[in-house]
Amino acid sequence: IEEKYGKQINSLLSSMGTMPKIEMPNKNEETEQVKKPTDISNQTNETKNKTIANIYFLALDADDNGIYKKVEREYNTKEDKLTFAIKELLKGPNFVEKSMGAYSEIPKTTKLNKIKYEKNKVIIDLSTDFQYGGGTDSIYSRMMQLIKTAINNTNNKKIYLYLDGKQVNILGGEGIMVSQPLTEKSLEI
């Protein structure tokens, strides 16, 4: 199997960028003679140009209290960091993050309409699906996920939330007041 699929495995690992290349042993070599994985410091230029975006999901701590769990997602610096982060937030936690207890209150049907940069502010325009489903706690949690993710992936610009092109002042059927620009205190009464 190793002889037949060794090159395909190496090709797959190489295309992943951040994974070290692993050489498969020849048929006549013993497994102890397998070469060590390539040193991670010998990364390609594409890998070196990647940076981290912080995405906030929800999880439970040891006492079953809800917490905001920061996860890191790698992205290429040629992309807009905030747009990437919001898209990743809307996708929700991946399989590994879910297995570690991460989840999201943001409805799966929520779409990113656009992110608009102006002189000193950024407008995040989402579909109205963002405000539907769940009660007050759910809406509060999804707003805090969005706020924490946005704040941690912008350069000190004021952030505003729009739904289908209209600035949000009240959110959801419960009528949660939202003060803008967004801060971690935007939902306090």
Side-chain angles (χ1 to χ4, degrees):
I1 292 177
E2 292 171 351
E3 186 175 288
K4 184 175 180 181
Y5 296 106
K7 289 182 181 179
Q8 291 172 338
I9 292 170
N10 279 336
S11 175
L12 176 64
L13 291 173
S14 295
S15 70
M16 295 173 79
T18 59
M19 297 292 294
K21 185 175 180 181
I22 300 172
E23 295 191 18
M24 300 302 288
N26 290 333
K27 188 164 105 175
N28 298 330
E29 291 180 329
E30 297 201 20
T31 55
E32 288 82 32
Q33 296 173 349
V34 175
K35 290 184 179 180
K36 292 181 181 177
T38 305
D39 184 3
I40 294 176
S41 64
N42 294 332
Q43 298 172 1
T44 64
N45 285 338
E46 182 180 320
T47 304
K48 288 180 182 178
N49 289 336
K50 297 201 178 198
T51 53
I52 301 298
N54 295 315
I55 318 299
Y56 285 82
F57 296 118
L58 300 162
L60 297 175
D61 66 12
D63 297 323
D64 286 336
N65 296 315
I67 59 170
Y68 295 95
K69 182 175 183 70
K70 178 178 79 170
V71 300
E72 295 180 341
R73 298 272 173 92
E74 191 175 279
Y75 79 101
N76 191 307
T77 57
K78 294 176 185 174
E79 297 179 78
D80 171 44
K81 186 177 182 180
L82 179 61
T83 302
F84 174 82
I86 298 300
K87 285 180 180 178
E88 292 297 303
L89 175 66
L90 297 179
K91 285 181 189 176
N94 63 30
F95 177 77
V96 173
E97 294 158 353
K98 283 180 184 177
S99 71
M100 294 170 34
Y103 65 96
S104 179
E105 284 292 334
I106 297 173
K108 298 251 183 241
T109 55
T110 302
K111 305 286 184 238
L112 174 62
N113 294 329
K114 67 180 173 181
I115 292 183
K116 183 178 179 183
Y117 289 89
E118 295 184 358
K119 186 175 181 179
N120 290 317
K121 72 178 186 178
V122 178
I123 297 170
I124 300 172
D125 188 357
L126 301 176
S127 64
T128 55
D129 296 350
F130 181 77
Q131 70 179 333
Y132 298 122
T136 304
D137 289 342
S138 175
I139 292 174
Y140 180 86
S141 294
R142 74 184 69 158
M143 274 298 296
M144 290 308 295
Q145 283 182 256
L146 176 71
I147 290 168
K148 287 176 174 290
T149 299
I151 288 172
N152 282 279
N153 291 288
T154 57
N155 294 326
N156 298 323
K157 291 189 178 233
K158 294 178 180 177
I159 303 163
Y160 291 82
L161 174 62
Y162 283 53
L163 295 181
D164 285 339
K166 295 180 182 176
Q167 185 173 321
V168 173
N169 296 314
I170 299 174
L171 193 61
E174 308 288 324
I176 297 174
M177 301 293 290
V178 179
S179 65
Q180 300 216 42
L182 297 177
T183 68
E184 291 200 21
K185 295 182 179 185
S186 286
L187 304 176
E188 293 178 7
I189 297 175

